[in-house]
Amino acid sequence: MTCGRQNQRRAGLALAAAALLLAGCGQSADTKGADGAKDGAKGGAAAGASASAPSSAKASVAPLGPGEVRVGGEVAKPYSVTLADLRKLPQTSVEVKFTSAKGEQRHTYQGVPLHDVLKTAEPRFDAAKKNGQLRGFVSATGGGDYRAVFAWAEIDPGFAKSQVLLAVSEDGVAFDDAAGPRLVVPQDTKGGRYVSELNQLWVGVVDPVVDGAK
């Protein structure tokens, strides 16, 4: 009898130990699951923040309206201009001849000098340097991400003989407001820089590129 009671007591202790062990394992698993959920929530929040960051950056740049041209870059007063705005300004007419994929072209354009449009934005050239504006350039972007570049001296009447225009009409026919102005370059013999559906004018200086290459 004594031996039987001892065996029962040992069995009871073994069952109690097993129950405690199982309870501990369950608690450990629950703890890990909670920690994993927390980590997942943190990761999800971080991913959400990362995904929303580009949208915020894009939202900071206002989309252009149909036919609108954004003037920016190294300027003190960036702004946008439309064909309707350009038609209200003093106009200049030029007769041009150039070659294109369609052959020789002869047209009369009316519009506003590009220099006048950019001067309104107040380009930031280094006045401490002799003829600091000669370090400047202008990038013109049109439809289909077409782009052409001009040295500032090409558009500045203080240096250039002819004036690059933001044309509002061709041969007396007004451009459609939604299409925007066309860049006209009378001194060019080819029409590659006659940028159509103009939507951006960006002013820059060569110093950061040239000095960085030293």
Side-chain angles (χ1 to χ4, degrees):
M1 291 294 291
T2 303
C3 191
R5 289 177 181 174
Q6 288 178 347
N7 288 338
Q8 289 178 357
R9 184 180 181 185
R10 287 174 184 170
L13 290 172
L15 289 172
L20 288 171
L21 180 62
L22 289 173
C25 290
Q27 185 177 6
S28 176
D30 291 343
T31 303
K32 289 181 181 178
D35 290 342
K38 289 178 183 177
D39 292 343
K42 289 178 182 177
S50 176
S52 64
S55 299
S56 299
K58 291 178 182 177
S60 64
V61 179
L64 288 171
E68 190 175 10
V69 181
R70 179 178 289 124
V71 183
E74 291 296 324
V75 298
K77 297 180 179 180
Y79 74 108
S80 296
V81 64
T82 64
L83 269 176
D85 297 327
L86 293 173
R87 292 190 185 103
K88 297 174 184 177
L89 300 175
Q91 303 289 300
T92 299
S93 294
V94 293
E95 294 182 1
V96 299
K97 178 177 73 172
F98 59 90
T99 58
S100 71
K102 297 179 180 179
E104 185 176 275
Q105 304 284 317
R106 291 176 180 269
H107 297 288
T108 299
Y109 289 99
Q110 186 172 12
V112 180
L114 174 59
H115 182 261
D116 291 352
V117 173
L118 296 176
K119 188 171 61 176
T120 299
E122 298 183 8
R124 294 184 296 204
F125 299 131
D126 191 346
K129 291 183 170 65
K130 182 178 180 180
N131 288 329
Q133 69 271 37
L134 297 185
R135 300 166 181 254
F137 65 90
V138 180
S139 170
T141 305
D145 198 32
Y146 188 87
R147 185 167 290 161
V149 176
F150 298 80
W152 186 263
E154 292 182 273
I155 66 170
D156 190 331
F159 295 93
K161 288 185 177 180
S162 59
Q163 295 190 69
V164 179
L165 294 185
L166 263 68
V168 300
S169 67
E170 178 186 78
D171 299 328
V173 180
F175 291 131
D176 183 70
D177 284 352
R182 184 181 192 187
L183 212 58
V184 173
V185 194
Q187 66 265 35
D188 283 7
T189 58
K190 291 188 176 182
R193 295 198 295 179
Y194 280 61
V195 181
S196 298
E197 298 178 9
L198 188 69
N199 56 62
Q200 183 188 60
L201 293 168
W202 195 90
V203 180
V205 291
V206 300
D207 296 56
V209 177
V210 176
D211 294 342
K214 292 181 180 178

